[in-house]
């Protein structure tokens, strides 16, 4: 059984997110022997979960006023826009009309996957809503990651994510796809 543990947000992942100020952070990690890129882990976690779970996520995001990227766009993962992407890490972003900007960073070393979610409150309404949602979100995300960690590798070919030219904590992102 794979254990997903809550951890302090690694400073390198917070730097990769490039979000300031950060008003809320949550991070999880788990050991793995699955050889997947960070993008593959993001897609496994968000896009390959049960259909009812995906529908639940999209419904909540819609209620929060998050304009999701078109599903046919390669510059998104389940509607979250890809800010930058390389084999070891991916940064996704969503901005809610309710006043919350969130960035999700997944980092994969080949033996461990770390996920950090960083949130900025752009309006007081965003803070009020997120304060109520955060405890449920932590439980939900932990369960999503545990399911992804226990899943067999996908039968799709590896992503074309470029290898990183710099360590994951470096301030310069690897590759940035165009926003769709």
């Amino acid at each position: 059984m794979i254990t997903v543990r809550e951890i302090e947000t690694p400073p390198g992942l917070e730097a990769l997110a490039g979000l300031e100020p950060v008003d809320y952070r949550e991070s999880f990690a788990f050991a793995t022997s699955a050889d997947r890129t960070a993008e593959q882990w993001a897609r496994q976690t968000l896009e390959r979960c049960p259909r009812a779970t995906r529908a639940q996520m999209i419904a909540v995001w819609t209620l929060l006023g998050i304009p999701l990227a078109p599903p046919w766009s390669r510059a998104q993962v389940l509607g979250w826009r890809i800010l930058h992407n390389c084999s070891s890490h991916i940064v996704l972003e969503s901005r809610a009309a309710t006043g919350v900007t969130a960035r999700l960073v997944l980092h994969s070393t080949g033996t461990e996957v770390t996920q950090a979610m960083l949130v900025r409150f752009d309006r007081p309404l965003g803070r009020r809503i997120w304060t109520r949602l955060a405890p449920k979100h932590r439980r939900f995300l932990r369960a999503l990651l545990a399911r992804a960690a226990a899943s067999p590798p996908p039968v799709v070919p590896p992503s074309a994510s470029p290898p990183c030219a710099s360590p994951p904590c470096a301030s310069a992102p690897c590759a940035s796809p165009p926003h769709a």
Side-chain angles (χ1 to χ4, degrees):
M1 182 168 150
I2 297 173
T3 301
V4 176
R5 61 195 188 285
E6 191 162 358
I7 63 169
E8 291 291 322
T9 302
L13 295 191
E14 192 162 332
L16 278 172
L19 184 67
E20 290 190 21
V22 174
D23 297 309
Y24 173 87
R25 58 187 54 79
E26 63 185 32
S27 298
F28 299 93
F30 59 88
T32 184
S33 60
D35 186 22
R36 296 180 184 156
T37 65
E39 180 181 350
Q40 288 170 325
W41 278 113
R43 293 190 187 283
Q44 183 69 37
T45 303
L46 297 174
E47 295 179 341
R48 295 187 184 98
C49 62
R51 184 175 299 174
T53 304
R54 284 193 314 272
Q56 179 184 6
M57 288 187 289
I58 290 170
V60 169
W61 297 337
T62 301
L63 286 172
L64 291 173
I66 296 173
L68 299 175
W72 58 85
S73 169
R74 301 241 335 117
Q76 59 82 33
V77 175
L78 196 62
W80 284 58
R81 286 173 175 76
I82 298 173
L83 293 183
H84 57 270
N85 182 15
C86 65
S87 58
S88 69
H89 62 273
I90 187 169
V91 179
L92 309 174
E93 180 183 68
S94 74
R95 292 176 184 247
T98 53
V100 173
T101 298
R103 294 209 179 146
L104 189 65
V105 182
L106 271 106
H107 179 253
S108 175
T109 65
T111 59
E112 183 168 81
V113 174
T114 306
Q115 178 274 326
M117 183 162 162
L118 303 134
V119 175
R120 180 183 66 218
F121 303 126
D122 300 319
R123 296 184 19 215
L125 177 61
R127 180 180 300 276
R128 287 193 305 271
I129 290 172
W130 188 253
T131 300
R132 296 189 72 185
L133 289 178
K136 292 176 187 168
H137 184 268
R138 287 171 112 89
R139 288 189 301 275
F140 185 82
L141 189 53
R142 184 188 299 241
L144 265 182
L145 289 167
R147 186 184 180 290
S151 299
V155 288
V156 295
S159 168
S161 303
C164 291
S166 57
C169 313
S171 58
C174 314
S176 298
H179 291 289

